Amino acid sequence: SGIMSVNGKKVLHMDRNSYYGGESASITPLEDLYKRFNLPGTPPESMGRGRDWNVDLIPKFLMANGQLVKMLLYTEVTRYLDFKVIEGSFVYKGGKIYKVPSTEAEALASSLMGLFEKRRFRKFLVYVANFDENDPRTFEGVDPKKTTMRDVYKKFDLGQDVIDFTGHALALYRTDDYLDQPCQETINRIKLYSESLARYGKSPYLYPLYGLGELPQGFARLSAIYGGTYMLNKPIEEIVIENGKVVGVKSEGEV
């Protein structure tokens, strides 16, 4: 709706909820969360003021160099948002918790892998950084559309620990199915992780300060500036059609 309004379309945006964001809203105050999930009673006093809480129904991080951030910058919706950089991310391995290294110094000091592993891993990261799917000179004998990721790991002689770490903490795959698929997608995922990390240095992840519900609100403001109309708490009863064209929306007895 934000982009349509910018392009001169007349937009009416109706939402049956009393808040923005539908399924992925940020619920505030805490009392509303209790209502939404039919929890008995009220939040305990130990939890402080209900207004101090924004609970995301579907929490997700934003990659600092990802598509959504590019869209926010392009539409200038960033001016309505405040972001926090996540302090760091962690992995659980063999009963211990390790920080995912975010700088070269951290990588060298990390006990996630041994010294020789680190050298090979570094070579692999340099390869990924230089990899350009439009420039075969950067492939070093790898065919992005045919070579499996398993073979790319073999090429750099990376051990199981590094493979687990790369696949799940950098490329963010949930399963190991990706190992036997062409490597292009995985290399691009690791690239996105590295480039996102390079932007702010602490971690590749951003989060809107007041929860993800801020994102749809930001686009709503963009739409409103260009003449879009928003209605919350408005159930849609019927789409009114005349001569095969939509001419109105019926809600609570009015069109």
Side-chain angles (χ1 to χ4, degrees), residues 102-145:
S102 62
T103 60
E104 219 166 79
E106 273 183 20
L108 288 172
S110 168
S111 47
L112 266 171
M113 44 184 117
L115 190 64
F116 296 109
E117 254 323 6
K118 278 178 187 154
R119 280 193 201 148
R120 293 196 288 268
F121 183 55
R122 193 176 184 178
K123 260 191 196 143
F124 167 70
L125 286 182
V126 168
Y127 171 72
V128 169
N130 293 329
F131 188 90
D132 174 357
E133 56 197 50
N134 302 316
D135 180 359
R137 284 174 308 186
T138 63
F139 295 174
E140 294 181 23
V142 170
D143 181 340
K145 294 192 166 54

Side-chain angles (χ1 to χ4, degrees), residues 70-81 218 222 226:
K70 285 178 184 158
M71 267 168 66
L72 290 166
L73 287 165
Y74 175 74
T75 54
E76 297 190 336
V77 167
T78 36
R79 66 175 99 158
Y80 309 123
L81 297 163
L222 179 71
Y226 287 92

